[in-house]
Amino acid sequence: MSDVSVAGDPLAGLSDRLASVRGRVADASARAGRSVDDLTLIVITKFHPVEVVRELRRLGVSDLGENRHQEASAKAAELADPDAHWHFVGQLQSNKARAALGYARTLHSVDRPSLVSALARIDPQDVTGSGTHRVDCFVQVNLTDDPGRGGVDESGLEALAEKIAGVPLLRLRGVMGVAPLDEEPRRAFARLRGASDRLRAIVPDAVSISAGMSHDFDDAVLEGATHLRIGSAITGNRVAAG
Ligand SMILES: *Cc1c(COP(=O)(O)O)cnc(C)c1O
């Protein structure tokens, strides 16, 4: 991908980059012998203004992602588009869980029992109005050796999955992971696929795999990713302050 600066017009080149990434996703799925229809492209819009989100919506993007609650909440409110599907992909503080469900339909980063407990205390009526709609979530698995990174340790996966499965508000969709910087992404995504197999032994419906970012989504598709979280390859580089 070219390192396009978006410091001037944040919309410059956006539709070309989106088309290019869509093409590469189709190529990757063909190489993996998979149907592109089984892949959900989530465009991560962090650091970029709401104009970018509006243009993405105009270009047919319905799945959007953010990784910080404050920015996400402000952007979703500004966009005010009930048909936009917001995915929360960053670390979520337990005391922000209820507020995050004010806009996010899918949480990709459920990674510890205390967060599940906080979510369990939320009345579905408060979140969805209907009381029937559930919140989709992924268990984030830490693919690094660093316990400070987001995600449950691979050994804690089953216990966390069982806890999530016991919360009526939550519908567990699968596993999520971020490849470490110091390892071949494909190897890390193979471990994530192994975690996905273990998860499905507990929750058979939780077949999804959220993996793959701008620089590694080809490898993620080869290892079974179903939800790609792609930011800079589409939005361009973040605007430098000032
Ligand atoms: C920022 C972010 C992405 C997208 O990263 P790019 O490299 O810009 O594609 C994906 N997942 C998470 C959790 C992120 O924070």
Side-chain angles (χ1 to χ4, degrees), residues 152-176:
V152 67
D153 190 89
E154 285 177 55
S155 65
L157 174 67
E158 275 91 353
L160 188 60
E162 275 163 14
K163 190 169 166 82
I164 295 169
V167 178
L169 174 69
L170 302 176
R171 183 166 76 121
L172 186 54
R173 296 292 310 272
V175 291
M176 178 274 211

Side-chain angles (χ1 to χ4, degrees), residues 28-35 222:
S29 67
R31 270 197 305 280
R34 302 179 54 202
S35 165
L222 285 169

